[in-house]
Amino acid sequence: MSRSLRILWDDKLTSYDFGPTHPLNPVRVELTMALARDHGVLDHPNVEVAGFAAAGDDLIGLVHDPGYIAAVKRAGGTGSPELAHGLGSPDNPVFPGMHEAAALVTGASVAAAEAVWSGEAEHAANVAGGLHHAMRDSASGFCVYNDPAIAIAWLLENGARRVAYVDVDVHHGDGVQAAFFDDPRVLTISLHEGPHTLFPGTGHSHETDTAGTAVNVALPPGTGDAAWLRAFHAVVPPLLRAFDPEILVTQHGCDSHALDPLAHLSLTVDGQRAAYEALHGLAHEITGGRWVLTGGGGYELVHVVPRAWTHLLAEAAGRPIDPATPTPDSWREFVRRRTGQNAPQRMTDRAAGQEPPTTDVKSWADGYDPASRLDQAVLATRRAVFPEHGLDPLTET
């Protein structure tokens, strides 16, 4: 009998480490797994924590050039930059064993895809994955190998005819888009802060292909829960229903949070949790529950990432955690010992007795506000891609 959720995990995943001063600190996934464990998420009878093999060169080569793979190996072995391939930059400093660490992250995401595609698990997760910026021949944006793109390429190699990828990271999922641009078998949807104010400077609504399968929602800085969810529901469900994918792959960077130090959106953990619930529901509605989920960005290491991704795993397990639930004493003590910081007291951003931040969504069907920067962004996306899917940009929901 298949499990509802397989979590791919090995402590060695924390070896993907650019150093103690780099924003992408692997302590965030260590704290996530500890919080999920202390909340009992990993102990549910329908949840399995499983090992996996590192990705080999042939697998990585589904997306990356052989010369680039060789450069990653050289850089990780010698410690010398390979600047022509983006290795040794401030964003992507060289570290020992870089190839092995990145291949391990990739192996976990491919194992998640394989578990779901084979029917061994309904959902599968790699919270250490989601390295969506890596390009065919270069590292970019803290990403060495593009594990979600490689997982999608593996699915296509193994018989998938339609794969949908939804990316809710605050940064544009440019590497995954580039890997499948003009491939009508893959629908990529990225909701992100607009390119005028944030790396990588791409992801305009007009960046699409002839089939309308590259979809970008460029959100204005300051977008909060209700507005973000309005954009999500105005774009993602109608496109997924029209595309009718066989499997859903999602990237869950939680750097859209108001506390994230690298970006400028204003979501709460509660709003992010609502997005996870929506994607889970869409997986069951459209793909028969076949759902592969990864982590992604997230640079507030204690107060945001562990809670957001524990909510994600709990939602995928079908055992969502009440936001009012206190964080376990054991976890808070672990955080103090591990980081020297005081951990959040509860699984919500609201104070005790305070009403939750609103995640009520004003439906697109209720009308478009031409004075709203958010509605302008959403309409631009809908106009760019909805007609290619037989959908009306103004009315379809």
Side-chain angles (χ1 to χ4, degrees):
M1 180 180 298
S2 69
R3 305 265 184 153
S4 292
L5 173 64
R6 179 176 291 180
I7 299 171
L8 285 304
W9 179 250
D10 186 310
D11 289 343
K12 292 178 182 177
L13 284 166
T14 60
S15 66
Y16 190 87
D17 186 355
F18 290 109
T21 63
H22 194 279
L24 191 76
N25 191 318
V27 75
R28 65 199 191 120
V29 290
E30 183 182 351
L31 297 182
T32 296
M33 293 301 290
L35 182 57
R37 187 176 295 110
D38 287 1
H39 264 307
V41 174
L42 309 186
D43 297 327
H44 290 308
N46 64 325
V47 174
E48 175 189 21
V49 179
F52 53 92
D57 290 4
D58 288 348
L59 190 55
I60 298 168
L62 293 176
V63 167
H64 294 289
D65 283 336
Y68 173 60
I69 300 169
V72 174
K73 290 179 179 179
R74 282 195 306 271
T78 66
S80 298
E82 296 270 349
L83 293 176
H85 297 286
L87 301 167
S89 68
D91 276 1
N92 303 287
V94 170
F95 63 91
M98 183 166 56
H99 165 78
E100 290 77 12
L104 199 65
V105 173
T106 299
S109 291
V110 174
E114 185 174 3
V116 173
W117 190 243
S118 69
E120 292 180 8
E122 190 173 35
H123 313 323
N126 172 23
V127 292
L131 304 177
H132 61 167
H133 292 306
M135 295 294 180
R136 183 165 187 82
D137 196 34
S138 65
S140 177
F142 316 159
C143 305
V144 176
Y145 295 143
N146 196 318
D147 62 284
I150 295 167
I152 292 169
W154 182 92
L155 288 166
L156 297 174
E157 288 281 310
N158 284 272
R161 294 170 296 173
R162 294 182 311 283
V163 180
Y165 171 78
V166 179
D167 187 319
V168 301
D169 195 289
V170 78
H171 301 91
H172 177 219
D174 57 340
V176 181
Q177 174 181 288
F180 302 106
F181 201 80
D182 266 336
D183 187 334
R185 300 173 298 172
V186 182
L187 172 71
T188 64
I189 306 176
S190 177
L191 295 95
H192 48 266
E193 184 179 333
H196 295 299
T197 54
L198 194 65
F199 175 90
T202 57
H204 294 276
S205 60
H206 59 73
E207 291 177 33
T208 189
D209 59 335
T210 55
T213 53
V215 181
N216 291 295
V217 186
L219 301 167
T223 297
D225 290 342
W228 191 98
L229 290 165
R230 172 170 167 78
F232 175 94
H233 285 286
V235 172
V236 177
L239 285 176
L240 289 182
R241 290 172 184 138
F243 188 70
D244 192 25
E246 298 165 294
I247 188 167
L248 176 64
V249 179
T250 54
Q251 196 268 19
H252 293 272
C254 53
D255 39 8
S256 58
H257 195 279
L259 294 180
D260 195 90
L262 300 188
H264 316 97
L265 297 191
S266 297
L267 273 70
T268 67
V269 166
D270 303 81
Q272 293 172 332
R273 179 179 178 273
Y276 308 154
E277 182 181 13
L279 286 165
H280 189 190
L282 288 165
H284 282 286
E285 174 193 341
I286 297 167
T287 66
R290 288 183 290 274
W291 183 25
V292 178
L293 46 148
T294 72
Y299 309 101
E300 208 306 316
L301 308 174
V302 170
H303 287 265
V304 176
V305 179
R307 291 187 300 159
W309 290 349
T310 294
H311 276 306
L312 174 65
L313 293 176
E315 174 63 39
R319 301 289 191 277
I321 297 170
D322 186 330
T325 303
T327 53
D329 292 342
S330 56
W331 182 74
R332 293 200 297 271
E333 175 58 22
F334 176 65
V335 170
R336 188 193 64 77
R337 293 197 318 269
R338 185 68 180 82
T339 69
Q341 296 189 42
N342 293 321
Q345 299 287 310
R346 291 159 20 109
M347 292 296 290
T348 177
D349 282 334
R350 68 183 187 265
Q354 184 183 38
E355 287 297 310
T358 181
T359 55
D360 292 338
V361 179
K362 180 184 177 185
S363 170
W364 193 258
D366 294 334
Y368 158 69
D369 179 0
S372 163
R373 292 179 64 201
L374 178 91
D375 281 16
Q376 291 169 15
V378 170
L379 184 58
T381 299
R382 290 170 60 105
R383 282 177 167 160
V385 299
F386 269 37
E388 301 302 329
H389 297 271
L391 301 173
D392 187 322
L394 289 173
T395 64
E396 204 90 31
T397 59

